[in-house]
Amino acid sequence: MSIPVALRPDYDAVRLRQLARRSKDAPQTRRLLALAVIYEGGSRTQAAEIGGVSLQTVRDWVLRFNAHGPDGLLDGKAPGQPSILSDAHRQRLSEMIESGPIPAVHGVVRWRLADLMQWLWEEYRIRISKQTLSRELRSLSFRKLSARPRHHARSDAAVAAFKKTSPRVWRRSRPTRPGRPIEIWFADEARIGQKNKITRRWAKRGTRPSAPRDLRTASAYIFGAICPAQGKAAGLVLPRCTTEAMSLHLAEISQAVAPGAHAVLLLDQAGWHVSRKLKVPPNITLVPLPAMAPELNPVENIWQFIRENWISNRIFTSYTDILDHCCAAWNKLIDQPWTIMSIGLREWAHQ
């Protein structure tokens, strides 16, 4: 008769039962309780009955427990089939995606899975399915995202300099010297009209969903401003973009600024933003963003959120209908300060 393998002496039945109560893994709990019976002097047959397994399996549990403790009783993840791509392949693939395709060389302006599959075959003679390549890219933290617009003549140096120096400059500005708290605001305008946008929607694979589309030209403008740090916003819906309209918007922002605070309002260099006829309230300082750099203004992302969730895929019957929907959408945004904070906070502005 073979001699049973002894359990390690640094555990006992009481401790194993305590571990079983705290465990969130059902198989591990069952195995701990089975081994606790052995610590209490029970037979291996009794332990096998509690675990619902054979004596050989109980012996395997004992060996795993002796070698690795309670963690040895957890089910290990099956290794599965080894990956087709090596770490070197993944690194090269990441570099290709980050740099983007060269149209004259690769013949495409954006990478598709089919293009990357072809590149892997031509470069390394690796055949890989679309599903496997998609999983590999997701494991490398790549996702298929919508690109934001970037002006072709943007100066990267000017943008970097603005991010680095502007926060210190506006904190030392004259209106804030007496120690008044500062609120960082961003402002922009969006045209909403009957020529509306059609957005993506969920649909069954192989189908192409439809959405209403209008070609009429009535429109209005949302003048919107957000204070991401406070999660608040101020906006107006007006018929056109003019200096007078911007003056009204500044008055609305001025009322939203906290008493005793001073607002630093970042906005682009549109004509009605820099006009000498603009009436700027005393509790607001205008700070123009660098030219051709709309990505510095998070209100651009606010417009995208509003269009995709509340404005697009609609038919506006009249100008009044446009005003009603614009006001309703902006009021919904105001009621969601967490959305304003999530979309609008920028580390370079609020550091």
Side-chain angles (χ1 to χ4, degrees), residues 141-185:
S141 300
F142 286 105
R143 298 293 186 274
K144 195 172 183 180
L145 305 175
S146 298
R148 64 183 181 184
R150 182 184 64 192
H151 199 283
H152 69 281
R154 187 191 73 174
S155 171
D156 292 336
V159 171
F162 181 85
K163 289 181 177 181
K164 184 176 181 179
T165 61
S166 294
R168 294 196 300 270
V169 171
W170 66 55
R171 281 173 172 78
R172 292 199 303 266
S173 61
R174 183 172 299 173
T176 64
R177 282 180 184 172
R180 302 168 66 183
I182 299 175
E183 293 183 358
I184 308 301
W185 286 73

Side-chain angles (χ1 to χ4, degrees), residues 195-206:
K195 287 187 177 180
N196 208 357
K197 182 180 179 182
I198 296 177
T199 61
R200 295 183 178 183
R201 57 176 57 187
W202 288 103
K204 287 186 176 296
R205 184 185 293 273

Side-chain angles (χ1 to χ4, degrees), residues 81-90 120 124-133 135-136:
Q81 186 176 357
S83 175
I84 299 175
L85 302 180
S86 66
D87 290 340
H89 295 148
R90 295 189 186 94
L120 285 170
Y124 300 106
R125 286 297 185 266
I126 293 177
R127 292 187 182 276
I128 188 171
S129 68
K130 184 180 294 186
Q131 292 78 11
T132 302
L133 181 57
R135 287 195 298 269
E136 289 283 357

Side-chain angles (χ1 to χ4, degrees), residues 239-276:
R240 59 186 61 88
C241 287
T242 62
T243 301
E244 292 77 13
M246 187 62 193
S247 296
L248 293 174
H249 188 210
L250 290 178
E252 184 73 14
I253 298 171
S254 176
Q255 295 178 10
V257 177
H262 189 85
V264 175
L265 181 62
L266 285 78
L267 67 181
D268 59 37
Q269 300 183 37
W272 53 91
H273 292 165
V274 296
S275 172
R276 294 182 179 180

Side-chain angles (χ1 to χ4, degrees), residues 100-339:
I102 302 173
V105 176
H106 302 107
V108 294
V109 296
R110 66 181 179 94
W111 288 124
R112 302 172 301 166
L113 289 176
D115 302 321
L116 295 172
M117 291 165 58
Q118 181 66 24
W119 174 80
L120 285 170
W121 170 251
E122 294 175 352
E123 191 77 11
Y124 300 106
R125 286 297 185 266
I126 293 177
R127 292 187 182 276
I128 188 171
S129 68
K130 184 180 294 186
Q131 292 78 11
T132 302
L133 181 57
S134 177
R135 287 195 298 269
E136 289 283 357
L137 295 183
R138 288 182 173 274
S139 68
L140 294 172
S141 300
F142 286 105
R143 298 293 186 274
K144 195 172 183 180
L145 305 175
S146 298
R148 64 183 181 184
R150 182 184 64 192
H151 199 283
H152 69 281
R154 187 191 73 174
S155 171
D156 292 336
V159 171
F162 181 85
K163 289 181 177 181
K164 184 176 181 179
T165 61
S166 294
R168 294 196 300 270
V169 171
W170 66 55
R171 281 173 172 78
R172 292 199 303 266
S173 61
R174 183 172 299 173
T176 64
R177 282 180 184 172
R180 302 168 66 183
I182 299 175
E183 293 183 358
I184 308 301
W185 286 73
F186 297 87
D188 194 35
E189 301 81 33
R191 177 184 173 276
I192 307 296
Q194 289 176 315
K195 287 187 177 180
N196 208 357
K197 182 180 179 182
I198 296 177
T199 61
R200 295 183 178 183
R201 57 176 57 187
W202 288 103
K204 287 186 176 296
R205 184 185 293 273
T207 66
R208 185 171 183 179
S210 63
R213 185 71 181 270
D214 199 347
L215 297 178
R216 290 174 291 177
T217 58
S219 63
Y221 289 86
I222 302 179
F223 281 69
I226 61 171
C227 178
Q230 304 294 328
K232 57 185 179 181
L236 293 174
V237 182
L238 299 170
R240 59 186 61 88
C241 287
T242 62
T243 301
E244 292 77 13
M246 187 62 193
S247 296
L248 293 174
H249 188 210
L250 290 178
E252 184 73 14
I253 298 171
S254 176
Q255 295 178 10
V257 177
H262 189 85
V264 175
L265 181 62
L266 285 78
L267 67 181
D268 59 37
Q269 300 183 37
W272 53 91
H273 292 165
V274 296
S275 172
R276 294 182 179 180
K277 298 180 181 180
L278 194 62
K279 298 178 182 178
V280 182
N283 63 341
I284 295 178
T285 297
L286 303 184
V287 177
L289 293 167
M292 299 171 288
E295 65 274 8
L296 290 179
N297 194 339
V299 185
E300 298 283 355
N301 304 107
I302 291 290
W303 298 143
Q304 183 180 8
F305 176 82
I306 288 178
R307 291 181 192 276
E308 290 183 350
N309 292 281
W310 301 322
I311 296 294
S312 299
N313 302 331
R314 292 180 181 271
I315 293 292
F316 300 122
T317 57
S318 64
Y319 178 74
T320 303
D321 193 26
I322 296 174
L323 296 181
D324 291 341
H325 280 87
C326 289
C327 292
W330 187 258
N331 288 332
K332 284 183 181 179
L333 179 72
I334 292 177
D335 291 338
Q336 299 181 12
W338 57 89
T339 299

